[in-house]
């Protein structure tokens, strides 16, 4: 089974996900050709710098490589559903990572968990406020909902510098696609790349540097799925209720509670 591609940048959500995706290989991003571009303000004084490392030295970031060069006034921006994991989920995670490390010892568990609704895109500082305002308007009518994430899958980022183990969503696609559609409309307004055409919605569990998909696919992947299927109350545990959407832009976080 070939690893799916995910388009992650070098930032931490991003130790996790993000490029082309789909069931096996990810689909190409939706085209936005012909869209009218918003006029960009010029000569804005004093654009603040994100409080994040500007260095592209991968040794300072666990071996991760930036998906785009650092540029003053440009903020890496990502829209996602945060997942507050119960204690039992961490027990399952420990079992999965322990087994996977027998094949890839460098594998590290994620510190935080989420499901992406956008790629990681670059947003100019002066567009953060109108971007967030547009998101808030588009997402205001959405209610809380459940999905099931119970299928173990191996992902790589587009340039294959990182590999991820994730839980793919097996139920709840319709609601997720509706959210992505609204987020895409906002991205199009700002002439930014939209999400993938055939997304493989998933929650990343662990990651490592390099393309290790060959070591994790096959027997290892089957054993990881057996661990999930055999875990006590896994059907209930992996039925996730989403309560809010977040947007992270540089070092800023914005919350959009679901009704």
């Amino acid at each position: 089974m070939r690893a799916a591609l995910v388009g992650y940048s070098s930032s931490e959500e991003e130790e996790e996900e993000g490029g082309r995706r789909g069931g096996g290989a990810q689909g190409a991003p939706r085209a936005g050709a012909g869209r009218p571009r918003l006029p960009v303000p010029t000569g804005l004084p004093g654009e603040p710098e994100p409080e994040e490392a500007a260095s592209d030295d991968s040794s300072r970031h666990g071996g991760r490589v930036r998906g785009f060069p650092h540029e003053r006034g440009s903020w890496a921006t990502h829209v996602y559903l945060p997942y507050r994991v119960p204690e039992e989920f961490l027990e399952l995670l420990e079992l999965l990572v322990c087994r996977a490390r027998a094949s890839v010892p460098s594998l590290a568990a994620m510190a935080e968990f989420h499901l992406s609704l956008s790629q990681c895109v670059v947003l100019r500082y002066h567009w953060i406020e109108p971007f967030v305002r547009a998101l808030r308007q588009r997402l205001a009518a959405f209610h809380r909902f459940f999905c099931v994430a119970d299928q173990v899958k191996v992902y790589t980022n587009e340039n294959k510098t990182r590999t991820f183990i994730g839980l793919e969503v097996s139920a709840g696609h319709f609601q997720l696609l509706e959210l992505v559609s609204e987020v895409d409309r906002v991205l199009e307004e700002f002439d930014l790349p939209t999400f993938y055409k055939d997304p493989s919605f998933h929650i990343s569990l662990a990651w490592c540097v390099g393309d290790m998909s060959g070591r994790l696919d096959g027997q290892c992947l089957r054993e990881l799925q057996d661990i999930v299927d055999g875990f006590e109350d896994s059907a209930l545990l992996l039925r996730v209720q989403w309560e809010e959407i977040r947007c992270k832009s540089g070092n800023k976080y914005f919350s959009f509670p679901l009704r």
Side-chain angles (χ1 to χ4, degrees):
M1 175 178 174
R2 189 172 60 182
L5 294 176
V6 290
Y8 302 110
S9 83
S10 67
S11 49
E12 62 289 329
E13 55 255 21
E14 293 132 4
E15 273 169 20
E16 131 234 273
E17 325 153 67
R20 288 188 303 258
R21 84 211 94 98
Q26 308 272 31
R30 299 174 184 174
R35 296 193 304 269
R37 298 176 67 100
L38 289 174
V40 179
T42 58
L44 246 65
E47 289 183 340
E49 186 75 11
E51 294 177 8
E52 55 186 19
S55 171
D56 288 337
D57 183 357
S58 63
S59 66
R60 298 179 58 185
H61 306 284
R64 299 192 302 273
V65 179
R66 280 186 176 272
F68 43 81
H70 175 84
E71 181 181 347
R72 180 175 176 82
S74 296
W75 291 39
T77 301
H78 179 226
V79 182
Y80 61 96
L81 293 160
Y83 179 34
R84 300 179 182 86
V85 300
E87 184 176 346
E88 294 82 0
F89 184 90
L90 296 178
E91 295 174 5
L92 173 59
L93 176 66
E94 184 177 1
L95 292 174
L96 293 170
V97 172
C98 182
R99 167 58 190 91
R101 279 178 177 162
S103 299
V104 181
S106 60
L107 202 71
M110 302 296 294
E112 297 181 352
F113 305 89
H114 68 267
L115 187 149
S116 289
L117 299 175
S118 80
Q119 301 186 60
C120 186
V121 299
V122 181
L123 189 65
R124 298 295 293 177
Y125 172 75
H126 45 266
W127 285 126
I128 293 176
E129 184 177 342
F131 181 84
V132 170
R133 184 167 58 248
L135 278 177
R136 198 173 301 281
Q137 293 171 350
R138 288 282 184 186
L139 301 174
F142 284 91
H143 292 260
R144 298 179 183 185
F145 66 97
F146 288 92
C147 74
V148 176
D150 59 359
Q151 299 299 303
V152 184
K153 194 165 184 178
V154 177
Y155 297 87
T156 61
N157 63 345
E158 192 166 14
N159 57 8
K160 296 188 179 296
T161 59
R162 277 172 293 157
T163 302
F164 306 87
I165 296 175
L167 286 175
E168 187 180 31
V169 169
S170 61
H173 285 85
F174 178 76
Q175 293 92 331
L176 292 169
L177 287 171
E178 283 193 318
L179 287 174
V180 166
S181 177
E182 294 304 312
V183 173
D184 276 352
R185 291 187 181 187
V186 176
L187 291 166
E188 288 173 346
E189 290 177 19
F190 290 82
D191 201 31
L192 294 171
T194 55
F195 207 40
Y196 309 104
K197 183 178 179 181
D198 299 306
S200 172
F201 293 112
H202 63 281
I203 301 169
S204 289
L205 305 176
W207 72 284
C208 65
V209 172
D211 182 3
M212 300 296 172
S213 56
R215 299 187 189 181
L216 294 170
D217 275 332
Q219 181 64 28
C220 178
L221 186 62
R222 289 190 290 271
E223 291 182 13
L224 293 175
Q225 188 64 58
D226 288 342
I227 292 173
V228 169
D229 294 341
F231 193 78
E232 185 177 2
D233 296 327
S234 63
L236 180 62
L237 178 63
L238 300 179
R239 184 172 182 262
V240 181
Q241 182 179 31
W242 303 111
E243 299 182 349
E244 69 167 312
I245 300 165
R246 284 186 193 164
C247 175
K248 178 179 184 290
S249 188
N251 61 345
K252 299 179 181 294
Y253 291 85
F254 305 91
S255 176
F256 313 94
L258 297 171
R259 300 172 64 183

